[in-house]
C-alpha cells in the first residue's frame, strides 16, 4: 500500500476511536469509580476485543474478495453509505455521556475480561469493521499484508485511546462528564464520517 493510504487509515481510525460508544462508556464508568488503576487492564481488554472483532470481519472480507471482486466493490459502496448514516446519527446525538461510576470491587483480570466481551461482542463493531476496512483495501494487492498493517495500526491506536480516556476520567472527571465537550466530539466525528463516506462515493464514481 502507499504511505498516503496508510496515513488516511490511521487518521480516520484515530478520529473514529475518539467517538464515545459502549466500550468508552464502560471504560469511563470504571475509571470514574475506581481511578487510574483501571486504565491498563481496560486498554488491554479493549485491544483484545477489537482484535477479535476485526479478525472475524477480515475472515468474511477475505472470503468475499476471493469469491467475487464485484461483490467486494459493492460492499465498498454499502460501507460508504453506512459511514454517512453513522455520521448523521452522531451529529444528531446529544452531548451527555451516560457513564455512572462503578464502585464495586473488581479485579484487574475481571475488568480486562469485561472490556474484551463488550468490545468483541458488540454487533455494531463487527458491522463497522466490515464497512470501514474495505475502503482502504486495494483488491489488486495481496490481502494479508494490507490487513496486517491496518490491524496493527488500529489496535495500537485503540489501546492508546482507551488509556487516554481512562486517565482523563480518573483525573479530570468534569471533562468527560461535560455535555458541551461530548457534543463537540460527536459533531466533529460525525462530520468527518459523513465526509469520509461522501469522499469514498466520489472516488468510486471517478474511477467508474
Amino acid at each position: 500500500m502507499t504511505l498516503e493510504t496508510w496515513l488516511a487509515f490511521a487518521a480516520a481510525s484515530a478520529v473514529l476511536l475518539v467517538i464515545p460508544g459502549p466500550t468508552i462508556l464502560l471504560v469511563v464508568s470504571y475509571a470514574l469509580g475506581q481511578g487510574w488503576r483501571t486504565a491498563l487492564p481496560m486498554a488491554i481488554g479493549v485491544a483484545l476485543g477489537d482484535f477479535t472483532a476485526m479478525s472475524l470481519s477480515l475472515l468474511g472480507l477475505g472470503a468475499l474478495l476471493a469469491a467475487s471482486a464485484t461483490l467486494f466493490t459493492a460492499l465498498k459502496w454499502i460501507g460508504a453509505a453506512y459511514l454517512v448514516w453513522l455520521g448523521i446519527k452522531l451529529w444528531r446525538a446529544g452531548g451527555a455521556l451516560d457513564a455512572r461510576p462503578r464502585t464495586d470491587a473488581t479485579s484487574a483480570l475481571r475488568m480486562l475480561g469485561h472490556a474484551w466481551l463488550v468490545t468483541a461482542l458488540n454487533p455494531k463493531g463487527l458491522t463497522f469493521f466490515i464497512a470501514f476496512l474495505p475502503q482502504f483495501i486495494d483488491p489488486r494487492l495481496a490481502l494479508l499484508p494490507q490487513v496486517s498493517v491496518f490491524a496493527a495500526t488500529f489496535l495500537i491506536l485503540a489501546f492508546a485511546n482507551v488509556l487516554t480516556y481512562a486517565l482523563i476520567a480518573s483525573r479530570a472527571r468534569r471533562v468527560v462528564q461535560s455535555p458541551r465537550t461530548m457534543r463537540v466530539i460527536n459533531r466533529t466525528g460525525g462530520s468527518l464520517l459523513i465526509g469520509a463516506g461522501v469522499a469514498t462515493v466520489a472516488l468510486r464514481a471517478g474511477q467508474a
Side-chain angles (χ1 to χ4, degrees):
M1 73 182 72
T2 63
L3 178 61
E4 290 77 9
T5 299
W6 179 80
L7 289 174
F9 175 83
S13 297
V15 170
L16 295 170
L17 284 166
V18 171
I19 299 171
T23 297
I24 295 301
L25 289 175
L26 179 68
V27 171
V28 172
S29 293
Y30 271 112
L32 289 174
Q34 302 185 36
W36 62 268
R37 75 178 188 89
T38 65
L40 185 58
M42 294 300 290
I44 294 174
V46 169
L48 291 175
D50 279 329
F51 177 76
T52 303
M54 185 179 288
S55 297
L56 293 174
S57 301
L58 290 175
L59 288 174
L61 291 176
L64 183 61
L65 181 56
S68 172
T70 301
L71 287 176
F72 189 78
T73 301
L75 180 62
K76 287 190 173 186
W77 282 94
I78 295 171
Y82 174 75
L83 292 178
V84 172
W85 175 82
L86 188 60
I88 293 173
K89 187 177 180 181
L90 277 170
W91 176 264
R92 298 175 62 183
L97 186 61
D98 187 18
R100 297 181 180 180
R102 299 180 64 100
T103 57
D104 50 309
T106 307
S107 67
L109 185 60
R110 180 169 293 185
M111 282 189 284
L112 188 154
H114 195 179
W116 173 74
L117 281 174
V118 169
T119 306
L121 300 181
N122 182 8
K124 290 184 179 179
L126 293 170
T127 305
F128 169 74
F129 283 126
I130 292 175
F132 181 62
L133 285 174
Q135 310 304 326
F136 300 92
I137 293 177
D138 188 343
R140 298 168 297 181
L141 303 177
L143 181 63
L144 185 58
Q146 294 184 81
V147 298
S148 297
V149 172
F150 288 147
T153 301
F154 191 91
L155 293 178
I156 291 171
L157 291 174
F159 181 89
N161 180 63
V162 171
L163 204 63
T164 301
Y165 256 110
L167 292 174
I168 291 176
S170 62
R171 298 291 184 178
R173 300 184 179 188
R174 291 183 180 179
V175 175
V176 297
Q177 293 180 317
S178 167
R180 183 176 182 179
T181 300
M182 291 300 104
R183 189 177 297 111
V184 170
I185 291 175
N186 282 333
R187 289 189 173 181
T188 300
S191 299
L192 291 172
L193 276 177
I194 294 170
V198 171
T200 300
V201 170
L203 180 62
R204 299 280 173 268
Q207 293 174 343

